[in-house]
Structure formats: C-alpha cells, structure tokens
Amino acid sequence: PAMVARVTTWWTILRIAIAERLVYRADFALGTLMRFLPIVTQIFLWGAIFQATGRTDLAHYSYQDFVAYYLLTMVSRAFSSMPALASGIARQIRDGEIKKYLIQPVDMVGFLLLSRIAHKLVYYTMAAGPFALVFFLCRDYFSQGWPDATTMAAFLASLVMAFLLGFFLESTIGMIGFWFLEVNSLLFVYMLLNFFFSGHMFPLDMLPASLQEVVKAIPLQYLAYFPAAVFLQKVQGTELVYGLFVQFLWVLFFIVLNRIAFARGLRRYSAFGG
C-alpha cells in the first residue's frame, strides 16, 4: 500500500508538471531550430580546415564526421543539460524556500527529478519536428548511415544515463548551498569545465593521448561526447560495453553522493538559509 501510494504521488506530480509545460512551452519548436543555426558555422569552418590542410581526416574523424558529431552532441546535451537546476537549489536553500519540502510528504530531489523528466518529455515532443528536419537536411553528413539496432540501443541507453548523470551531478552541486551562501562562482567554473571536457566544443579524440586519459576518467565526457561517439560507431565492442558500464557507475555514484549531501545538509539547515 505504501509503495502504491508513493507511485500514485509521483505519477500525479509528473502529470501536473507535463500539463504545466504543455501550456506555455510551445516555443520549443522554434527555439530548437535556432539552436541548430551554429551548425552552419561548423560546416563552413571544418570545410575550410580540411581544404586548407589537404587532409581527409583528423583524429579519425572525416569532414562529414565532424558535422555529424556536432549535430549529435546537441542531442545529447539536450538530454544532459539542466538549466538553472544547481543555482535554483542553492537559491531555495539560501532564501529558505526549501522548508516547503520539509513540511510536506514530498521528497525535494524526487520532485525536481520528476519536473525535469516532464520538461524533457515536453521538449522532445515539441521539438521532434525540427530535429527530424535538421537531421534530414544534414543526412549526407552521416557517411556511415544509421547504426545497427544494437548500436542504436546503446546510444539510447547512453542518452538516458546522460540525463540522469546531468541531473544528479548538478543537483549535488546545488547542495553546496547548505554550506556556502554564494555558489555562482563555483557554478561558473563548473560550466566552463563542462563545456570543454564534455566534448561539446570538439571531439575529445583530438586531445593529446596523455590528456585524453585524464579527461575520459572524469564523468563529463558522458554528457555529450560519449553518446555521439557511440552513434558514430567510434566506440565499439568491449570498449562500448565498458563505457556504458562506467557511465552507469557514475550515475550510481552521484545518486548516492546526492542523497548523502542532502541528508547532511539538512542536519545543519537552520530554516534561514545556508
């Protein structure tokens, strides 16, 4: 009975969150098209680079691969990106808004997770058309065609885990608000590192071998680079299985770290802020 009541509560929260977003987020379709505009710059940029160098590939990426890679990282970033999550948690702690979760039978982290799931569901429902249009127009850049069913399943699994990793990583950062009143500077540093080391700016394969080992040892690569590399079949066989397993372990790690940070933060919370 307790589990049924909890599932019913979660479903009610998710349903309401979806309904709220369907009302005012019809701008997702147009916004998605606007986000793809920088791809035009990448097409001309990498075309000029390959033409100037006379090379057919860089770090085992052809010209077509680079364009396809940027398209795919935008998909993976749409899953893993959590705008204003960490700063919102820190602000609620600082302003005392977090106490509303302490006097109601609703877990704060669970509530925020359901809200983000609703956000992503509505986003992809509204943005499916623009995504399909862009990928259709850029179909020639996927020189190897669509991956097989196994690779596609691995790609989808990596996207789901990218979402969970992005959520629990950023919400854990937001928990720092229990100990510090101001976390914006820390968030700026994190976002800067995230932009470079998640592979959003360029494929991590372009880094020197020694630096690749360091960057690929941290979880940020699973937010953008890894799903794109899986789709492009740059990661295959044992390496693919290992990558998915490590990504899963990182998700578990941040779930546990998140719960520990939340529990310890509540112990020192005074209801007046951080």
Side-chain angles (χ1 to χ4, degrees):
M3 179 58 70
V4 173
R6 179 173 296 183
V7 171
T8 301
T9 300
W10 290 346
W11 167 246
T12 301
I13 294 173
L14 179 62
R15 180 169 51 81
I16 293 173
I18 290 175
E20 289 177 343
R21 283 157 179 79
L22 282 173
V23 170
Y24 68 90
R25 294 318 303 254
D27 63 319
F28 276 150
L30 180 59
T32 299
L33 281 176
M34 296 301 102
R35 290 189 184 95
F36 275 113
L37 286 180
I39 291 296
V40 177
T41 303
Q42 298 295 338
I43 291 174
F44 287 112
L45 172 64
W46 288 106
I49 291 174
F50 275 91
Q51 185 176 11
T53 59
R55 300 181 58 171
T56 58
D57 73 89
L58 292 171
H60 305 294
Y61 284 77
S62 66
Y63 165 59
Q64 289 79 7
D65 286 341
F66 271 102
V67 177
Y69 175 83
Y70 282 106
L71 286 167
L72 290 166
T73 55
M74 295 193 72
V75 174
S76 53
R77 285 293 296 168
F79 272 83
S80 63
S81 177
M82 301 289 158
L85 176 62
S87 60
I89 292 174
R91 184 182 64 255
Q92 288 185 326
I93 295 172
R94 183 179 64 246
D95 297 342
E97 295 180 28
I98 192 176
K99 61 180 176 286
K100 67 185 179 183
Y101 297 107
L102 308 181
I103 61 176
Q104 299 179 26
V106 177
D107 175 65
M108 184 188 79
V109 177
F111 178 83
L112 294 176
L113 177 59
L114 289 172
S115 297
R116 293 290 166 158
I117 291 175
H119 175 85
K120 299 301 181 183
L121 288 175
V122 173
Y123 174 80
Y124 276 102
T125 299
M126 303 299 295
F131 267 103
L133 175 62
V134 170
F135 273 76
F136 174 76
L137 294 175
C138 297
R139 62 190 182 280
D140 292 338
Y141 293 105
F142 292 85
S143 55
Q144 295 184 350
W146 287 87
D148 56 59
T150 301
T151 303
M152 183 60 71
F155 172 67
L156 294 176
S158 69
L159 288 179
V160 172
M161 288 191 287
F163 165 76
L164 293 173
L165 179 60
F167 175 83
F168 284 104
L169 195 161
E170 292 208 23
S171 62
T172 301
I173 294 175
M175 301 296 177
I176 297 175
F178 281 115
W179 288 269
F180 297 94
L181 288 175
E182 180 55 54
V183 300
N184 286 334
S185 296
L186 293 174
L187 288 175
F188 176 79
V189 173
Y190 165 73
M191 295 305 297
L192 185 64
L193 294 175
N194 189 344
F195 183 74
F196 284 97
F197 297 142
S198 69
H200 185 61
M201 188 173 183
F202 52 80
L204 299 181
D205 308 84
M206 297 185 68
L207 294 170
S210 57
L211 189 55
Q212 276 190 48
E213 294 180 4
V214 175
V215 173
K216 291 185 177 182
I218 59 179
L220 296 181
Q221 67 152 326
Y222 295 104
L223 300 178
Y225 164 80
F226 184 72
V230 170
F231 189 98
L232 293 174
Q233 303 177 58
K234 302 294 182 181
V235 182
Q236 294 180 309
T238 305
E239 187 181 2
L240 173 59
V241 175
Y242 175 78
L244 290 171
F245 179 68
V246 173
Q247 186 180 20
F248 176 72
L249 290 181
W250 276 119
V251 172
L252 288 182
F253 172 79
F254 279 104
I255 289 176
V256 173
L257 183 62
N258 183 274
R259 303 310 301 188
I260 292 174
F262 186 55
R264 293 191 176 183
L266 288 180
R267 292 177 188 173
R268 70 186 310 276
Y269 181 63
S270 61
F272 293 101

